[in-house]
């Protein structure tokens, strides 16, 4: 095992070693995170709507836990398909206006399972270069050809679509909002290309479900292209504040996935308490428009403060606000300096993002107040000056 030690040293020397951080202390507070004994303003979570500590979700989970027990006991195809799944999937298909829905244990398993169930050796997947790792891994598992197009470059995609006309099955797959960049995919154009070239279209709404669209249905709904999307996927781990993932689509699609998606077939079903927790979160996501309004207003003012200060900030209007620093060591210094000043801001480095684009990925939540976000923006700008990251 010596090689491992050496490789880890090499990663550490290049400021690329990843560390698990956190605290054994409790309790957690909405919008904050504990580091040791210190409370930090959390500008790094995906709890966009501030639901992860919501009493209605917790009460529902507790009630189900007491009634149904701690585990589901088996995979869904054996005896794990308990009533909360049936109720939730019906509600999800109504929410999304789809024929059917299927719950997966998490987004990683949904993406890897769905893609490897849809395509195989003689097929091709057209995938944005910035798509999430779970999509990339799903393509790898499927053994289909991976045709990566430059980020949001529709001309490049069209050239690849032309090149691969002879393939058996064709799938275009994209994040709706890109997780490390916060910008949106060109979904209207993707729907047009899907029609023109007769491909399947899969959209991952992990960072847009719950946030965009009527009742939080997502960006495809907001743009009016929902019915062009064959495979509509999203997670419950981010804006829903719980855990798990969904796929919505036709009855045939869901029937196919029940038969072919290996992470669904060969893994134990989520505990019933998680599933009813998701249902409670769905009620809040649908009803509480004020959370989305608050989130967008906080994100817009935070983004504009950082832009005006001279930071290189990602585009878009999502709650993901990346500040591109470039150098791996410099981004770690920035993150540590912010931590000393009471802000949790995580450095994202290659291979998660391309070489030379290391960044702090700030993300906002409706759990924060204007005052907290304004103070944080001030501290971030002052720290950027001190470290020589901005000149203005
Ligand atoms: C775009 C995207 N898809 C899928 C996932 C995986 O979701 P989960 O955390 O539920 O496994 C993530 C999570 O980080 C993501 O950002």
């Amino acid at each position: 095992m010596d090689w491992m030690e050496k490789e880890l040293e090499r990663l550490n020397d290049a400021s690329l070693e990843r560390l698990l951080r956190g605290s054994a202390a409790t309790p957690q507070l909405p919008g904050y995170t504990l580091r040791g004994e210190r409370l930090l303003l959390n500008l790094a979570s995906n709890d966009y709507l501030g639901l992860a500590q919501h009493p209605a979700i917790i009460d529902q989970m507790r009630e189900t836990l007491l009634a149904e027990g701690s585990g589901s006991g088996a995979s869904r195809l054996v005896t794990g398909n308990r009533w909360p799944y049936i109720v939730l999937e019906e509600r999800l298909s109504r929410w999304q206006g789809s024929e059917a829905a299927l719950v997966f244990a998490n987004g990683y398993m949904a993406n890897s399972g769905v893609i490897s169930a849809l395509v195989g050796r003689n097929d091709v997947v057209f995938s944005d270069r910035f798509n999430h790792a779970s999509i990339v891994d799903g393509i790898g598992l499927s053994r289909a050809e991976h045709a990566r197009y430059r980020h949001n470059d529709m001309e490049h995609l069209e050239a690849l679509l032309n090149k691969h006309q002879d393939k058996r099955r064709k799938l275009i797959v994209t994040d709706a909002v890109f997780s490390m960049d916060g910008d949106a995919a060109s979904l209207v154009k993707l729907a047009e290309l899907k029609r023109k070239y007769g491909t399947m279209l899969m959209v991952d709404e992990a960072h847009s479900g719950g946030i965009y669209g009527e009742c939080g249905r997502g960006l495809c709904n907001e743009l009016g292209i929902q019915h062009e999307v064959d495979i509509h996927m999203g997670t419950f781990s981010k804006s829903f504040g719980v855990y798990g993932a969904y796929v919505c689509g036709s009855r045939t699609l869901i029937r196919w996935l029940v038969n072919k998606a290996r992470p669904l077939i060969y893994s134990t079903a989520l505990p019933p308490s998680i599933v009813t927790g998701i249902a409670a979160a769905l009620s809040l996501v649908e009803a509480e428009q004020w959370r989305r309004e608050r989130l967008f207003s906080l994100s817009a003012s935070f983004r504009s403060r950082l832009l005006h200060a001279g930071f290189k900030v990602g585009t878009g209007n999502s709650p993901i606000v990346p500040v591109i620093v470039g150098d791996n060591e410099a981004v770690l210094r920035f993150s540590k300096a912010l931590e000393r000043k009471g802000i949790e801001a995580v450095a994202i480095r290659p291979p998660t993002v391309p070489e030379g684009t290391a960044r702090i990925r700030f993300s906002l939540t409706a759990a924060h107040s204007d005052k907290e976000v304004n103070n944080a923006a001030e501290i971030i700008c002052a720290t950027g000056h001190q470290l020589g990251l901005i000149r203005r």
Side-chain angles (χ1 to χ4, degrees):
M1 301 285 273
D2 290 352
W3 61 270
M4 217 181 265
E5 211 43 80
K6 286 192 193 119
E7 275 301 300
L8 285 168
E9 278 318 307
R10 194 187 59 76
L11 281 175
N12 190 280
D13 290 346
S15 303
L16 287 173
E17 183 174 359
R18 302 173 199 243
L19 298 171
L20 287 170
R21 305 186 297 177
S23 166
T26 55
Q28 298 290 326
L29 281 176
Y32 284 83
T33 176
L34 278 162
R35 179 64 47 76
E37 297 293 301
R38 290 184 62 222
L39 202 56
L40 306 179
L41 185 76
N42 187 348
L43 287 185
S45 93
N46 297 321
D47 179 21
Y48 301 119
L49 297 179
L51 292 178
Q53 317 280 332
H54 198 288
I57 301 175
I58 296 167
D59 285 351
Q60 179 60 69
M61 291 176 79
R62 185 188 291 121
E63 192 185 314
T64 313
L65 190 60
L66 294 175
E68 301 286 328
S70 53
S72 63
S75 75
R76 293 190 63 189
L77 284 163
V78 182
T79 58
N81 198 35
R82 313 271 284 275
W83 66 265
Y85 272 104
I86 295 157
V87 172
L88 177 62
E89 286 170 351
E90 255 177 47
R91 284 194 58 196
L92 287 170
S93 51
R94 250 182 289 133
W95 176 55
Q96 285 298 336
S98 64
E99 282 180 7
L102 190 63
V103 172
F104 280 78
N106 57 49
Y108 188 96
M109 287 167 81
N111 278 339
S112 54
V114 169
I115 295 171
S116 56
L118 292 177
V119 288
R121 270 189 204 287
N122 302 315
D123 306 328
V124 57
V125 184
F126 304 93
S127 169
D128 191 292
R129 273 179 64 91
F130 286 6
N131 275 345
H132 189 255
S134 54
I135 293 177
V136 176
D137 292 358
I139 301 170
L141 267 178
S142 77
R143 300 186 193 174
E145 183 157 346
H146 187 173
R148 289 174 95 200
Y149 56 92
R150 288 187 290 273
H151 179 50
N152 261 341
D153 184 338
M154 295 296 103
E155 277 178 26
H156 189 209
L157 169 59
E158 188 151 15
L160 291 172
L161 284 161
N162 273 310
K163 183 173 159 202
H164 290 283
Q165 297 242 30
D166 59 325
K167 290 287 191 313
R168 184 185 62 156
R169 292 185 205 139
K170 290 168 252 174
L171 170 69
I172 300 175
V173 59
T174 187
D175 288 11
V177 166
F178 291 90
S179 53
M180 295 300 140
D181 292 75
D183 57 341
S186 310
L187 289 168
V188 173
K189 183 69 185 173
L190 286 171
E192 187 189 314
L193 289 175
K194 163 230 149 101
R195 279 196 304 277
K196 182 168 170 190
Y197 289 89
T199 73
M200 300 178 279
L201 177 60
M202 173 168 176
V203 178
D204 174 341
E205 296 244 33
H207 296 278
S208 45
I211 300 175
Y212 294 89
E214 203 187 340
C215 298
R217 292 186 180 109
L219 195 54
C220 295
N221 169 273
E222 181 156 316
L223 298 172
I225 58 138
Q226 201 163 4
H227 297 292
E228 308 270 8
V229 179
D230 303 290
I231 306 107
H232 189 237
M233 176 269 177
T235 57
F236 300 122
S237 49
K238 304 183 192 330
S239 53
F240 280 68
V242 191
Y243 192 69
Y246 60 90
V247 174
C248 289
S250 68
R251 258 181 227 107
T252 309
L253 170 73
I254 301 307
R255 194 171 147 213
W256 180 257
L257 294 178
V258 168
N259 282 276
K260 299 289 179 182
R262 293 168 67 87
L264 180 98
I265 301 167
Y266 296 109
S267 185
T268 301
L270 281 175
S273 56
I274 304 276
V275 183
T276 60
I278 297 168
L282 176 59
S283 301
L284 295 164
V285 165
E286 287 187 288
E288 298 196 341
Q289 176 64 20
W290 67 265
R291 291 183 186 270
R292 286 180 274 279
E293 283 162 13
R294 166 147 203 77
L295 180 65
F296 280 118
S297 137
L298 286 174
S299 308
S301 78
F302 182 75
R303 187 184 297 274
S304 105
R305 290 281 297 270
L306 300 197
L307 262 174
H308 281 106
F311 282 114
K312 190 173 169 199
V313 180
T315 55
N317 73 342
S318 77
I320 302 169
V321 184
V323 165
I324 317 295
V325 172
D327 181 68
N328 299 330
E329 204 192 327
V331 82
L332 281 183
R333 245 184 291 126
F334 193 18
S335 159
K336 283 182 188 148
L338 291 175
E339 185 184 325
R340 282 194 295 276
K341 294 177 183 175
I343 294 174
E344 171 91 296
V346 176
I348 309 285
R349 294 155 290 161
T352 304
V353 292
E355 217 49 71
T357 69
R359 66 197 64 185
I360 301 279
R361 176 194 184 270
F362 292 108
S363 49
L364 282 299
T365 155
H368 291 144
S369 67
D370 288 320
K371 190 163 167 235
E372 285 168 327
V373 171
N374 285 338
N375 284 347
E378 214 159 280
I379 293 170
I380 293 163
C381 296
T383 311
H385 269 292
Q386 280 158 12
L387 297 180
L389 300 173
I390 44 173
R391 309 249 170 263
R392 251 181 253 166

